[in-house]
PDB file of all heavy atoms in Angstrom:
ATOM      1  N   VAL A 400      24.725  13.626  -4.571  1.00  0.00           N
ATOM      2  CA  VAL A 400      25.305  14.472  -3.512  1.00  0.00           C
ATOM      3  C   VAL A 400      26.315  15.439  -4.110  1.00  0.00           C
ATOM      4  O   VAL A 400      26.337  16.636  -3.770  1.00  0.00           O
ATOM      5  CB  VAL A 400      25.961  13.593  -2.429  1.00  0.00           C
ATOM      6  CG1 VAL A 400      26.601  14.474  -1.357  1.00  0.00           C
ATOM      7  CG2 VAL A 400      24.937  12.664  -1.804  1.00  0.00           C
ATOM      8  N   GLU A 403      25.021  18.694  -5.500  1.00  0.00           N
ATOM      9  CA  GLU A 403      24.455  19.689  -4.593  1.00  0.00           C
ATOM     10  C   GLU A 403      25.553  20.667  -4.176  1.00  0.00           C
ATOM     11  O   GLU A 403      26.521  20.271  -3.521  1.00  0.00           O
ATOM     12  CB  GLU A 403      23.855  19.011  -3.354  1.00  0.00           C
ATOM     13  CG  GLU A 403      22.466  18.455  -3.549  1.00  0.00           C
ATOM     14  CD  GLU A 403      21.428  19.555  -3.715  1.00  0.00           C
ATOM     15  OE1 GLU A 403      21.673  20.694  -3.251  1.00  0.00           O
ATOM     16  OE2 GLU A 403      20.380  19.286  -4.319  1.00  0.00           O
ATOM     17  N   GLU A 405      25.817  22.857  -1.872  1.00  0.00           N
ATOM     18  CA  GLU A 405      26.011  23.031  -0.431  1.00  0.00           C
ATOM     19  C   GLU A 405      26.547  21.775   0.247  1.00  0.00           C
ATOM     20  O   GLU A 405      26.875  21.811   1.432  1.00  0.00           O
ATOM     21  CB  GLU A 405      24.700  23.461   0.222  1.00  0.00           C
ATOM     22  CG  GLU A 405      24.198  24.810  -0.269  1.00  0.00           C
ATOM     23  CD  GLU A 405      22.894  25.204   0.413  1.00  0.00           C
ATOM     24  OE1 GLU A 405      22.633  24.690   1.515  1.00  0.00           O
ATOM     25  OE2 GLU A 405      22.141  26.010  -0.153  1.00  0.00           O
ATOM     26  N   ALA A 406      26.589  20.665  -0.468  1.00  0.00           N
ATOM     27  CA  ALA A 406      27.153  19.439   0.097  1.00  0.00           C
ATOM     28  C   ALA A 406      28.647  19.394  -0.199  1.00  0.00           C
ATOM     29  O   ALA A 406      29.076  19.632  -1.321  1.00  0.00           O
ATOM     30  CB  ALA A 406      26.454  18.221  -0.493  1.00  0.00           C
ATOM     31  N   ARG A 407      29.444  19.090   0.814  1.00  0.00           N
ATOM     32  CA  ARG A 407      30.901  19.110   0.662  1.00  0.00           C
ATOM     33  C   ARG A 407      31.513  17.716   0.518  1.00  0.00           C
ATOM     34  O   ARG A 407      32.727  17.583   0.425  1.00  0.00           O
ATOM     35  CB  ARG A 407      31.527  19.831   1.857  1.00  0.00           C
ATOM     36  CG  ARG A 407      31.150  21.304   1.936  1.00  0.00           C
ATOM     37  CD  ARG A 407      31.914  22.003   3.029  1.00  0.00           C
ATOM     38  NE  ARG A 407      31.659  23.442   3.055  1.00  0.00           N
ATOM     39  CZ  ARG A 407      32.214  24.270   3.933  1.00  0.00           C
ATOM     40  NH1 ARG A 407      33.071  23.799   4.835  1.00  0.00           N
ATOM     41  NH2 ARG A 407      31.934  25.554   3.899  1.00  0.00           N
ATOM     42  N   GLY A 408      30.693  16.718   0.519  1.00  0.00           N
ATOM     43  CA  GLY A 408      31.236  15.370   0.371  1.00  0.00           C
ATOM     44  C   GLY A 408      30.298  14.335   0.962  1.00  0.00           C
ATOM     45  O   GLY A 408      29.260  14.662   1.547  1.00  0.00           O
ATOM     46  N   ILE A 409      30.694  13.086   0.821  1.00  0.00           N
ATOM     47  CA  ILE A 409      29.877  11.980   1.293  1.00  0.00           C
ATOM     48  C   ILE A 409      30.792  10.874   1.794  1.00  0.00           C
ATOM     49  O   ILE A 409      31.896  10.682   1.278  1.00  0.00           O
ATOM     50  CB  ILE A 409      28.968  11.457   0.147  1.00  0.00           C
ATOM     51  CG1 ILE A 409      28.064  10.327   0.632  1.00  0.00           C
ATOM     52  CG2 ILE A 409      29.799  11.002  -1.035  1.00  0.00           C
ATOM     53  CD1 ILE A 409      27.077   9.858  -0.414  1.00  0.00           C
ATOM     54  N   HIS A 410      30.364  10.173   2.831  1.00  0.00           N
ATOM     55  CA  HIS A 410      31.119   9.008   3.292  1.00  0.00           C
ATOM     56  C   HIS A 410      30.145   8.044   3.985  1.00  0.00           C
ATOM     57  O   HIS A 410      28.980   8.345   4.215  1.00  0.00           O
ATOM     58  CB  HIS A 410      32.260   9.419   4.247  1.00  0.00           C
ATOM     59  CG  HIS A 410      31.794   9.943   5.570  1.00  0.00           C
ATOM     60  ND1 HIS A 410      31.772   9.163   6.704  1.00  0.00           N
ATOM     61  CD2 HIS A 410      31.324  11.167   5.926  1.00  0.00           C
ATOM     62  CE1 HIS A 410      31.311   9.902   7.720  1.00  0.00           C
ATOM     63  NE2 HIS A 410      31.037  11.114   7.270  1.00  0.00           N
ATOM     64  N   MET A 425      23.620   7.204   4.517  1.00  0.00           N
ATOM     65  CA  MET A 425      24.901   7.852   4.213  1.00  0.00           C
ATOM     66  C   MET A 425      25.130   9.037   5.141  1.00  0.00           C
ATOM     67  O   MET A 425      24.192   9.526   5.797  1.00  0.00           O
ATOM     68  CB  MET A 425      24.918   8.323   2.762  1.00  0.00           C
ATOM     69  CG  MET A 425      23.900   9.407   2.447  1.00  0.00           C
ATOM     70  SD  MET A 425      23.863   9.875   0.693  1.00  0.00           S
ATOM     71  CE  MET A 425      22.263   9.221   0.208  1.00  0.00           C
ATOM     72  N   HIS A 426      26.366   9.468   5.197  1.00  0.00           N
ATOM     73  CA  HIS A 426      26.744  10.676   5.932  1.00  0.00           C
ATOM     74  C   HIS A 426      27.151  11.739   4.901  1.00  0.00           C
ATOM     75  O   HIS A 426      27.980  11.461   4.021  1.00  0.00           O
ATOM     76  CB  HIS A 426      27.917  10.404   6.871  1.00  0.00           C
ATOM     77  CG  HIS A 426      27.554   9.529   8.033  1.00  0.00           C
ATOM     78  ND1 HIS A 426      27.737   9.918   9.336  1.00  0.00           N
ATOM     79  CD2 HIS A 426      26.999   8.291   8.079  1.00  0.00           C
ATOM     80  CE1 HIS A 426      27.325   8.945  10.145  1.00  0.00           C
ATOM     81  NE2 HIS A 426      26.884   7.947   9.394  1.00  0.00           N
ATOM     82  N   VAL A 427      26.570  12.917   5.010  1.00  0.00           N
ATOM     83  CA  VAL A 427      26.856  14.002   4.071  1.00  0.00           C
ATOM     84  C   VAL A 427      27.566  15.134   4.811  1.00  0.00           C
ATOM     85  O   VAL A 427      27.102  15.587   5.870  1.00  0.00           O
ATOM     86  CB  VAL A 427      25.560  14.535   3.418  1.00  0.00           C
ATOM     87  CG1 VAL A 427      25.860  15.749   2.540  1.00  0.00           C
ATOM     88  CG2 VAL A 427      24.906  13.436   2.578  1.00  0.00           C
ATOM     89  N   LEU A 428      28.699  15.567   4.269  1.00  0.00           N
ATOM     90  CA  LEU A 428      29.455  16.673   4.853  1.00  0.00           C
ATOM     91  C   LEU A 428      28.853  18.004   4.420  1.00  0.00           C
ATOM     92  O   LEU A 428      28.487  18.181   3.258  1.00  0.00           O
ATOM     93  CB  LEU A 428      30.918  16.602   4.402  1.00  0.00           C
ATOM     94  CG  LEU A 428      31.708  15.360   4.817  1.00  0.00           C
ATOM     95  CD1 LEU A 428      33.079  15.372   4.144  1.00  0.00           C
ATOM     96  CD2 LEU A 428      31.838  15.278   6.319  1.00  0.00           C
ATOM     97  N   MET A 429      28.762  18.919   5.365  1.00  0.00           N
ATOM     98  CA  MET A 429      28.249  20.247   5.045  1.00  0.00           C
ATOM     99  C   MET A 429      28.916  21.289   5.929  1.00  0.00           C
ATOM    100  O   MET A 429      29.567  20.968   6.933  1.00  0.00           O
ATOM    101  CB  MET A 429      26.727  20.284   5.192  1.00  0.00           C
ATOM    102  CG  MET A 429      26.187  19.818   6.528  1.00  0.00           C
ATOM    103  SD  MET A 429      24.377  19.636   6.494  1.00  0.00           S
ATOM    104  CE  MET A 429      24.150  18.265   5.378  1.00  0.00           C
ATOM    105  N   ASP A 430      28.747  22.545   5.545  1.00  0.00           N
ATOM    106  CA  ASP A 430      29.344  23.676   6.268  1.00  0.00           C
ATOM    107  C   ASP A 430      28.871  23.657   7.720  1.00  0.00           C
ATOM    108  O   ASP A 430      27.669  23.663   7.992  1.00  0.00           O
ATOM    109  CB  ASP A 430      28.909  24.979   5.588  1.00  0.00           C
ATOM    110  CG  ASP A 430      29.595  26.199   6.175  1.00  0.00           C
ATOM    111  OD1 ASP A 430      30.188  26.099   7.268  1.00  0.00           O
ATOM    112  OD2 ASP A 430      29.521  27.269   5.538  1.00  0.00           O
ATOM    113  N   LEU A 441      18.750  20.805   2.836  1.00  0.00           N
ATOM    114  CA  LEU A 441      19.718  20.123   1.976  1.00  0.00           C
ATOM    115  C   LEU A 441      19.465  18.617   1.965  1.00  0.00           C
ATOM    116  O   LEU A 441      19.459  17.980   0.910  1.00  0.00           O
ATOM    117  CB  LEU A 441      21.143  20.415   2.455  1.00  0.00           C
ATOM    118  CG  LEU A 441      22.274  19.670   1.733  1.00  0.00           C
ATOM    119  CD1 LEU A 441      22.248  19.937   0.239  1.00  0.00           C
ATOM    120  CD2 LEU A 441      23.619  20.041   2.340  1.00  0.00           C
ATOM    121  N   ILE A 442      19.235  18.064   3.152  1.00  0.00           N
ATOM    122  CA  ILE A 442      18.955  16.627   3.253  1.00  0.00           C
ATOM    123  C   ILE A 442      17.684  16.272   2.489  1.00  0.00           C
ATOM    124  O   ILE A 442      17.629  15.264   1.779  1.00  0.00           O
ATOM    125  CB  ILE A 442      18.849  16.214   4.737  1.00  0.00           C
ATOM    126  CG1 ILE A 442      20.238  16.246   5.384  1.00  0.00           C
ATOM    127  CG2 ILE A 442      18.220  14.826   4.871  1.00  0.00           C
ATOM    128  CD1 ILE A 442      20.221  16.019   6.878  1.00  0.00           C
ATOM    129  N   ILE A 445      18.438  16.130  -1.246  1.00  0.00           N
ATOM    130  CA  ILE A 445      19.181  14.930  -1.626  1.00  0.00           C
ATOM    131  C   ILE A 445      18.273  13.704  -1.597  1.00  0.00           C
ATOM    132  O   ILE A 445      18.281  12.882  -2.532  1.00  0.00           O
ATOM    133  CB  ILE A 445      20.392  14.728  -0.695  1.00  0.00           C
ATOM    134  CG1 ILE A 445      21.394  15.878  -0.878  1.00  0.00           C
ATOM    135  CG2 ILE A 445      21.062  13.386  -0.971  1.00  0.00           C
ATOM    136  CD1 ILE A 445      22.528  15.858   0.124  1.00  0.00           C
ATOM    137  N   LEU A 459      18.149   7.368   4.500  1.00  0.00           N
ATOM    138  CA  LEU A 459      18.488   7.952   5.797  1.00  0.00           C
ATOM    139  C   LEU A 459      19.817   8.681   5.648  1.00  0.00           C
ATOM    140  O   LEU A 459      20.828   8.082   5.253  1.00  0.00           O
ATOM    141  CB  LEU A 459      18.606   6.864   6.861  1.00  0.00           C
ATOM    142  CG  LEU A 459      19.047   7.326   8.254  1.00  0.00           C
ATOM    143  CD1 LEU A 459      18.014   8.278   8.859  1.00  0.00           C
ATOM    144  CD2 LEU A 459      19.278   6.133   9.171  1.00  0.00           C
ATOM    145  N   ILE A 460      19.820   9.996   5.956  1.00  0.00           N
ATOM    146  CA  ILE A 460      21.024  10.824   5.795  1.00  0.00           C
ATOM    147  C   ILE A 460      21.394  11.447   7.134  1.00  0.00           C
ATOM    148  O   ILE A 460      20.553  12.053   7.809  1.00  0.00           O
ATOM    149  CB  ILE A 460      20.792  11.929   4.750  1.00  0.00           C
ATOM    150  CG1 ILE A 460      20.469  11.311   3.380  1.00  0.00           C
ATOM    151  CG2 ILE A 460      22.022  12.818   4.639  1.00  0.00           C
ATOM    152  CD1 ILE A 460      20.162  12.337   2.307  1.00  0.00           C
ATOM    153  N   HIS A 461      22.663  11.288   7.490  1.00  0.00           N
ATOM    154  CA  HIS A 461      23.201  11.917   8.699  1.00  0.00           C
ATOM    155  C   HIS A 461      24.042  13.117   8.291  1.00  0.00           C
ATOM    156  O   HIS A 461      24.927  12.989   7.428  1.00  0.00           O
ATOM    157  CB  HIS A 461      24.049  10.916   9.486  1.00  0.00           C
ATOM    158  CG  HIS A 461      24.666  11.487  10.718  1.00  0.00           C
ATOM    159  ND1 HIS A 461      23.970  11.622  11.888  1.00  0.00           N
ATOM    160  CD2 HIS A 461      25.918  11.959  10.962  1.00  0.00           C
ATOM    161  CE1 HIS A 461      24.767  12.146  12.810  1.00  0.00           C
ATOM    162  NE2 HIS A 461      25.947  12.375  12.264  1.00  0.00           N
ATOM    163  N   ALA A 462      23.781  14.271   8.871  1.00  0.00           N
ATOM    164  CA  ALA A 462      24.530  15.488   8.546  1.00  0.00           C
ATOM    165  C   ALA A 462      25.804  15.553   9.381  1.00  0.00           C
ATOM    166  O   ALA A 462      25.753  15.489  10.612  1.00  0.00           O
ATOM    167  CB  ALA A 462      23.669  16.718   8.805  1.00  0.00           C
ATOM    168  N   ASP A 463      26.948  15.669   8.718  1.00  0.00           N
ATOM    169  CA  ASP A 463      28.245  15.781   9.389  1.00  0.00           C
ATOM    170  C   ASP A 463      28.855  17.145   9.102  1.00  0.00           C
ATOM    171  O   ASP A 463      28.876  17.575   7.933  1.00  0.00           O
ATOM    172  CB  ASP A 463      29.211  14.710   8.887  1.00  0.00           C
ATOM    173  CG  ASP A 463      29.082  13.409   9.641  1.00  0.00           C
ATOM    174  OD1 ASP A 463      28.482  13.425  10.732  1.00  0.00           O
ATOM    175  OD2 ASP A 463      29.568  12.381   9.141  1.00  0.00           O
ATOM    176  N   PRO A 464      29.351  17.840  10.128  1.00  0.00           N
ATOM    177  CA  PRO A 464      30.057  19.114   9.871  1.00  0.00           C
ATOM    178  C   PRO A 464      31.386  18.846   9.192  1.00  0.00           C
ATOM    179  O   PRO A 464      32.111  17.915   9.552  1.00  0.00           O
ATOM    180  CB  PRO A 464      30.260  19.697  11.276  1.00  0.00           C
ATOM    181  CG  PRO A 464      30.255  18.498  12.183  1.00  0.00           C
ATOM    182  CD  PRO A 464      29.307  17.511  11.562  1.00  0.00           C
ATOM    183  N   ASP A 465      31.710  19.608   8.183  1.00  0.00           N
ATOM    184  CA  ASP A 465      32.960  19.449   7.454  1.00  0.00           C
ATOM    185  C   ASP A 465      34.064  20.173   8.213  1.00  0.00           C
ATOM    186  O   ASP A 465      34.519  21.257   7.836  1.00  0.00           O
ATOM    187  CB  ASP A 465      32.813  20.024   6.042  1.00  0.00           C
ATOM    188  CG  ASP A 465      34.058  19.800   5.198  1.00  0.00           C
ATOM    189  OD1 ASP A 465      34.848  18.920   5.563  1.00  0.00           O
ATOM    190  OD2 ASP A 465      34.208  20.510   4.183  1.00  0.00           O
ATOM    191  N   VAL A 469      36.140  13.952  10.426  1.00  0.00           N
ATOM    192  CA  VAL A 469      35.221  12.870  10.076  1.00  0.00           C
ATOM    193  C   VAL A 469      35.985  11.562   9.909  1.00  0.00           C
ATOM    194  O   VAL A 469      37.043  11.520   9.294  1.00  0.00           O
ATOM    195  CB  VAL A 469      34.471  13.197   8.768  1.00  0.00           C
ATOM    196  CG1 VAL A 469      33.627  12.005   8.317  1.00  0.00           C
ATOM    197  CG2 VAL A 469      33.593  14.411   8.977  1.00  0.00           C
TER     198      VAL A 469
END
Side-chain angles (χ1 to χ4, degrees):
V400 178
E403 278 291 336
E405 297 180 23
R407 295 187 175 180
I409 182 175
H410 69 100
M425 65 184 111
H426 290 237
V427 175
L428 298 173
M429 54 190 67
D430 186 345
L441 175 57
I442 288 173
I445 295 173
L459 176 63
I460 299 177
H461 178 81
D463 273 344
D465 184 19
V469 174

